């Protein structure tokens, strides 16, 4: 009887141990149907979190795409998004770094959902939620607005790769390889993805840049006199990164983004300055680099796709 009790106890411990291992192990594979808890946006802010029952509609080498139940996506938009992401995936991970795989399925998950509470009038194209790397939906997930994907496909794809850089960036913070990057440089690196892969976003940023008189993306703050929100910073960040791309002397001009992303410099502005100087862009200081950028835009209207700097009495407006 005593031996039987010992065997029962050993079996129970073994069963319990297996259950713990199974619970902690990453989930491998993809569910055909899945409910995500995701954030809805309204007026640029959060309208709360809601459940979104969804269905897996497409997988590729790097992607698993889910669609919110009851919504439709055009076949053109779906295929173009998947093809362009797969096309730039290897180059992006080579430049900005690899990413985690906390759920063990080897895929970046995209959820096509109605992000904007206002429907087609909303402003958010896509987002990345770092909390997914710990709990909640648990995985490498990017959320895309289904209306924007259907109606502004090229711009939505630009935002998708923008958010993918954020996911890569956070992966390196998560595994302890890098410290958390300041918002302005993290966003500037995400803007640099469009320079490489998405003409539509670059053109939109350049047009917006030429309409505003604010260029201090490196503070990622919004002056009290400015209308709108932090979106005012994106155009100048995009134009600046495009300028770095054009000005550096390396035969592969994307190397400057790789140098910045992987830099071990402790200060963010030094990551940019060191990379610029290493690749042939003349500057004695961070301030010098910024004034060289602004001066080039004033004197050379073709410096970055005809981006220009607005001036008053020949003084750059900062």
């Amino acid at each position: 009887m005593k031996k039987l009790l010992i065997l029962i106890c050993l079996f129970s411990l073994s069963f319990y141990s297996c259950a713990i291992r199974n619970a902690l192990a990453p989930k491998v594979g993809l569910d055909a149907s899945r409910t995500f808890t995701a954030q809805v946006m309204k007026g640029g802010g959060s309208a709360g979190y809601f459940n979104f029952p969804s269905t897996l509609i497409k997988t590729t080498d790097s992607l698993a795409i889910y669609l919110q139940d009851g919504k439709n996506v055009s076949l053109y938009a779906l295929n173009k998004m998947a093809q362009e992401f797969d096309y730039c995936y290897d180059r992006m991970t080579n430049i900005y770094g690899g990413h985690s795989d906390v759920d063990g399925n080897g895929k970046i998950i995209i959820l096509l959902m109605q992000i904007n509470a206002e429907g087609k009038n909303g402003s958010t194209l896509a987002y990345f939620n770092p909390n997914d790397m710990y709990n909640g939906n648990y995985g490498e997930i990017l959320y895309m607005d289904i209306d924007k994907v259907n109606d502004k496909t090229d711009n939505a794809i630009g935002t998708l790769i923008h958010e993918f850089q954020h996911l890569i960036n956070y992966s390196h913070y998560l595994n302890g390889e890098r410290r958390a990057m300041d918002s302005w440089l993290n966003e500037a690196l995400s803007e640099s993805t469009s320079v490489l892969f998405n003409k539509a976003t670059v053109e939109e940023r350049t047009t917006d840049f030429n309409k505003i008189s604010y260029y201090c993306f490196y503070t990622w703050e919004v002056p009290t006199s400015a209308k709108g929100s932090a979106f005012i910073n994106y155009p100048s960040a995009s134009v600046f990164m495009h300028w770095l791309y054009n000005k550096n002397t390396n035969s592969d001009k994307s190397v400057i983004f790789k140098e910045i992303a992987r830099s071990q410099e402790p200060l963010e502005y030094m990551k940019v300055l060191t990379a610029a100087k290493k690749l042939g862009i003349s500057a004695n200081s961070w301030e010098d680099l910024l004034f060289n950028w602004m001066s080039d835009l004033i004197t050379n209207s073709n410096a970055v796709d005809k981006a220009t700097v607005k001036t008053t009495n020949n003084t750059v407006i900062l």
Side-chain angles (χ1 to χ4, degrees), residues 80-81 84-85 87-88 91-92 125 144 152-162 190-206 238 242 305:
K80 186 170 187 181
M81 177 179 64
E84 292 198 15
F85 188 91
Y87 172 78
C88 69
R91 194 172 176 211
M92 276 199 67
L125 275 73
M144 299 190 70
K152 297 185 66 177
T153 304
D154 289 337
N155 297 88
I157 293 170
T159 305
L160 172 64
I161 59 174
H162 175 112
S190 280
E191 286 299 310
S192 75
T193 65
S194 300
V195 174
L196 299 176
F197 303 111
N198 193 260
K199 183 180 179 181
T201 300
V202 168
E203 290 177 345
E204 183 177 62
R205 297 299 198 213
T206 303
S238 174
H242 204 166
D305 291 345

Side-chain angles (χ1 to χ4, degrees), residues 92-197:
M92 276 199 67
T93 52
N94 176 264
I95 294 170
Y96 303 99
H99 59 81
S100 61
D101 187 21
V102 297
D103 52 7
N105 59 32
K107 308 285 186 185
I108 300 297
I109 293 174
I110 294 177
L111 173 60
L112 303 177
M113 56 173 279
Q114 186 174 332
I115 289 179
N116 295 288
E118 307 97 325
K120 293 185 178 183
N121 294 323
S123 59
T124 303
L125 275 73
Y127 66 82
F128 160 64
N129 185 350
N131 291 331
D132 287 330
M133 311 286 263
Y134 299 99
N135 49 40
N137 295 321
Y138 196 65
E140 286 72 24
I141 304 170
L142 300 173
Y143 303 86
M144 299 190 70
D145 184 70
I146 186 61
D147 291 325
K148 305 300 184 186
V149 169
N150 284 329
D151 298 342
K152 297 185 66 177
T153 304
D154 289 337
N155 297 88
I157 293 170
T159 305
L160 172 64
I161 59 174
H162 175 112
E163 297 302 328
F164 183 42
Q165 191 286 137
H166 286 318
L167 188 154
I168 291 172
N169 203 301
Y170 195 78
S171 293
H172 289 276
Y173 166 71
L174 188 67
N175 65 23
E177 290 182 9
R178 305 173 191 168
R179 66 176 180 81
M181 188 174 282
D182 289 352
S183 292
W184 73 266
L185 185 54
N186 195 346
E187 294 292 350
L189 278 173
S190 280
E191 286 299 310
S192 75
T193 65
S194 300
V195 174
L196 299 176
F197 303 111

Side-chain angles (χ1 to χ4, degrees), residues 35-49:
T35 297
F36 295 86
T37 301
Q39 187 172 204
V40 171
M41 309 300 290
K42 185 175 183 180
S46 176
Y49 284 81

